[in-house]
């Protein structure tokens, strides 16, 4: 800000807090010089969320003490740090073989962001850029993390999962989406074989390839309910 802008800020401050008004000409001149010395590199307002009037108003409301130019300067420095922390240096358009031009363009972009002239450049998204031709077809062919051929080879070693996937592929319900009332298996866990001892206690905890009939009925009911709700 130049001296005229600083004088306008002091007038605004005095209107909100009369304690800062200096009636003596010498004191008013010294006050203007002090404020201009500390706020000479602080803009009055930018198009990126900085307005010195908002800072002054918030400071006067939140503090019982008269506002000082250092209070405004500290707010501006915090605003600059926040903007630079949210900024990612874009790739300069200068020739990479010319380090002076490369560095000058980077510094100019940072200075513009810090001064509120330009908005911070966010991180580029993972999906940004041009998609490769045929990428969707490749993803559709893969379908999952495990290719179909590998899944078929693993089926003998994962009978419970293979039976579940086969039932879902045939249009049946996902039996592991509901708990089992018979063996008390939680959702997502396979059913267990329960054997009863002579004293009535349960023994045995081997997983079953197929779910208990009651669990299958419960999954069918849940599937029918979801279909009717849709």
């Amino acid at each position: 800000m130049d001296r005229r802008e600083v004088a306008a800020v002091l007038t605004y401050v005095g209107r909100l807090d009369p304690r800062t008004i200096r009636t003596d000409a010498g004191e008013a001149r010294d006050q203007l010089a002090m404020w201009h010395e500390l706020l000479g590199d602080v803009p009055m307002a930018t198009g990126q969320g900085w307005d010195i009037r908002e800072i002054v108003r918030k400071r006067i409301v939140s503090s019982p003490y008269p506002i000082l130019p250092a209070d405004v300067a500290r707010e501006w420095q915090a605003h600059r740090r926040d903007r630079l922390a949210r900024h990612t240096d874009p790739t300069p358009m200068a020739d990479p073989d010319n380090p002076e031009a490369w560095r000058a363009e980077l510094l100019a972009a940072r200075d513009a962001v810090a001064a509120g002239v330009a908005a911070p450049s966010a991180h580029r998204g993972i999906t940004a850029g041009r998609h490769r031709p045929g990428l969707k077809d490749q993803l559709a062919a893969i379908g999952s993390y495990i290719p179909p051929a590998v899944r078929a080879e693993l089926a003998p070693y994962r009978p419970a999962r293979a039976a579940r996937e086969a039932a879902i592929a045939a249009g049946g319900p996902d039996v592991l989406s509901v708990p089992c009332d018979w063996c008390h298996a939680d959702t997502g866990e396979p059913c267990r074989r329960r054997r009863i001892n002579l004293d009535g206690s349960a023994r045995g905890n081997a997983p079953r390839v197929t779910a208990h009939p009651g669990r299958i009925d419960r999954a069918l009911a849940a599937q029918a309910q979801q279909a009717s709700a849709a």
Side-chain angles (χ1 to χ4, degrees):
M1 291 186 294
D2 55 25
R3 294 179 66 89
R4 181 179 300 178
E5 292 174 329
V6 173
V9 172
L10 280 173
T11 301
Y12 181 74
V13 171
R15 190 169 61 198
L16 299 182
D17 186 1
R19 295 175 299 175
T20 61
I21 298 177
R22 300 292 183 265
T23 56
D24 181 77
E27 292 182 357
R29 184 171 56 252
D30 293 341
Q31 182 188 41
L32 177 61
M34 179 182 64
W35 278 68
H36 182 255
E37 178 69 21
L38 293 176
L39 302 181
D41 59 345
V42 177
M44 178 172 287
T46 68
Q48 302 295 329
W50 169 265
D51 191 333
I52 199 170
R53 294 170 299 180
E54 293 289 336
I55 302 301
V56 169
R57 183 161 53 247
K58 290 180 181 179
R59 180 67 182 181
I60 292 177
V61 171
S62 62
S63 175
Y65 303 102
I67 187 172
L68 299 175
D71 298 330
V72 180
R74 281 192 291 268
E75 290 290 340
W76 169 245
Q77 294 299 326
H79 181 74
R80 282 172 52 95
R81 288 194 298 270
D82 176 71
R83 292 178 59 79
L84 289 175
R86 294 185 287 111
H87 175 67
T88 302
D89 290 325
T91 302
M93 300 298 294
D95 186 359
D97 294 330
N98 187 348
E100 290 79 10
W102 183 279
R103 182 175 182 272
E105 187 173 343
L106 282 178
L107 293 179
R110 293 179 186 177
D111 291 342
V113 171
V117 178
S121 177
H123 287 281
R124 184 180 301 174
I126 295 177
T127 58
R130 184 180 301 172
H131 293 290
R132 293 184 305 174
L135 180 59
K136 293 184 177 180
D137 296 335
Q138 295 178 12
L139 292 177
I142 295 174
S144 66
Y145 292 107
I146 304 178
V150 178
R151 189 183 299 275
E153 293 181 3
L154 293 176
Y157 304 99
R158 305 186 305 171
R161 180 181 291 272
R164 176 190 183 189
E165 293 174 352
I168 296 175
D174 182 6
V175 293
L176 300 190
S177 64
V178 296
C180 182
D181 296 332
W182 173 256
C183 64
H184 305 294
D186 292 333
T187 302
E189 295 183 358
C191 288
R192 300 282 179 174
R193 299 183 185 276
R194 294 183 60 190
R195 297 180 181 177
I196 307 300
N197 292 325
L198 296 177
D199 58 357
S201 60
R203 66 183 178 89
N205 198 32
R208 288 169 51 97
V209 175
T210 58
H212 286 106
R215 190 176 195 179
I216 297 175
D217 294 339
R218 186 172 182 180
L220 284 171
Q223 185 185 37
Q225 184 177 5
Q226 292 178 357
S228 61

